[in-house]
Amino acid sequence: MKLEYTKEELAVQVAALEQLFETVQIVDPYRGVLLDPATLEAGTESGPVPTLDESGRGMQLVQAADGDEMRIYQGIQVDGRPCVLRVHCRMPHDSSASAGAQNSYDRALAQYQEDMRRDYVTGVYNSRYIQEEYRLYAEKQAMQGKPVGAVMLRVNEYWALRDQESRQAAECCLNTAAGILQLAVGTDHEHAVLARLEDGLFVAITVGMPAARLAQTINQALESSRRVFSITLARRGTFTVTTASAEWGETSSWEMMLSLAQQRL
């Protein structure tokens, strides 16, 4: 499949794909809107685009009201403009399946979707969830004038444990830290979420409350908690967490807000 099109070529490609797939759409990945394939004029909101791999491809499994579907994404260029081609493929439906089999399928698909949003080590959200789902919500709240901020959190002992002890010890440290941080951040996703970004780095995104205040709450929770984890069956260790925050109002950009908070660590 070619990746660079003129508008005329794109219209032909979309017409061909519409013979194979339920829906074919062109998405502006930066503004989060659908584009008219013929004119590239912006239309309705498209929802977030998943993280694409190095070849510009991505995939989502979606449980929609009219049936489950797979959404396949491909990054393309149209007259030099970055766009994303999205096709919707309806998942096969087994009309002869029993109620129990259908229930098992539905639960397995729901579990898969939830697992894709979670960090496999700590169980908190991952960067995919933050970038693909929560970002859209936070940006809308910021545009309405609500305080939005980010608190970066680094578990300082992570790399020393990886290098000098074991991966298991480092992950045990992260698990203990994540438990304390999650309790401090809370589970009300309208106001804050916690996610692991990479290695020993976490981020808490707050909506409706200054990030500096959330950072203070987190630091108080850390000070009053036993920050003890197992290195081996016979040895214990302690960890420390460095925090830094940035407000949306300082940058007026999601990427810049996260970058500023990370620079301040």
Side-chain angles (χ1 to χ4, degrees), residues 33-189:
V33 296
L34 297 177
L35 302 175
D36 185 304
T39 65
L40 296 188
E41 292 293 326
T44 59
E45 188 177 293
S46 70
V49 173
T51 303
L52 306 181
D53 65 14
E54 61 276 3
S55 61
R57 296 172 183 167
M59 185 272 289
Q60 284 179 327
L61 289 178
V62 179
Q63 289 182 301
D66 56 349
D68 303 329
E69 64 181 26
M70 178 186 295
R71 296 179 184 175
I72 302 171
Y73 298 77
Q74 175 64 61
I76 60 173
Q77 296 267 343
V78 184
D79 288 338
R81 176 179 176 178
C83 299
V84 173
L85 176 66
R86 179 171 72 189
V87 298
H88 298 228
C89 180
R90 188 68 57 84
M91 300 289 283
H93 175 68
D94 185 359
S95 57
S96 64
S98 66
Q102 184 62 43
N103 181 262
S104 295
Y105 171 83
D106 291 340
R107 286 190 290 110
L109 182 56
Q111 186 62 53
Y112 169 80
Q113 291 177 312
E114 182 63 17
D115 288 345
M116 290 293 288
R117 308 159 85 211
R118 297 285 181 176
D119 171 48
Y120 74 99
V121 173
T122 64
V124 302
Y125 287 114
N126 57 23
S127 59
R128 177 190 292 268
Y129 171 76
I130 289 291
Q131 292 290 347
E132 295 178 8
E133 298 185 47
Y134 202 75
R135 172 180 180 170
L136 186 63
Y137 166 73
E139 287 180 331
K140 286 181 178 178
Q141 300 304 305
M143 293 300 102
Q144 294 173 11
K146 291 186 178 181
V148 173
V151 182
M152 284 290 172
L153 306 137
R154 184 180 63 232
V155 179
N156 298 313
E157 290 72 18
Y158 177 79
W159 279 110
L161 289 166
R162 284 283 301 268
D163 295 340
Q164 301 169 18
E165 298 292 346
S166 66
R167 185 186 186 94
Q168 290 74 21
E171 292 182 350
C172 184
C173 176
L174 283 188
N175 264 313
T176 305
I180 298 171
L181 297 175
Q182 185 65 80
L183 285 174
V185 172
T187 57
D188 185 350
H189 296 167

Side-chain angles (χ1 to χ4, degrees), residues 7 68 130 194 196 255:
K7 291 179 184 178
D68 303 329
I130 289 291
L194 174 70
R196 181 187 174 198
E255 288 86 0

Side-chain angles (χ1 to χ4, degrees), residues 3-18:
L3 302 179
E4 297 184 6
Y5 297 87
T6 64
K7 291 179 184 178
E8 294 75 17
E9 291 172 334
L10 180 63
V12 173
Q13 181 69 71
V14 169
L17 290 171
E18 285 177 337

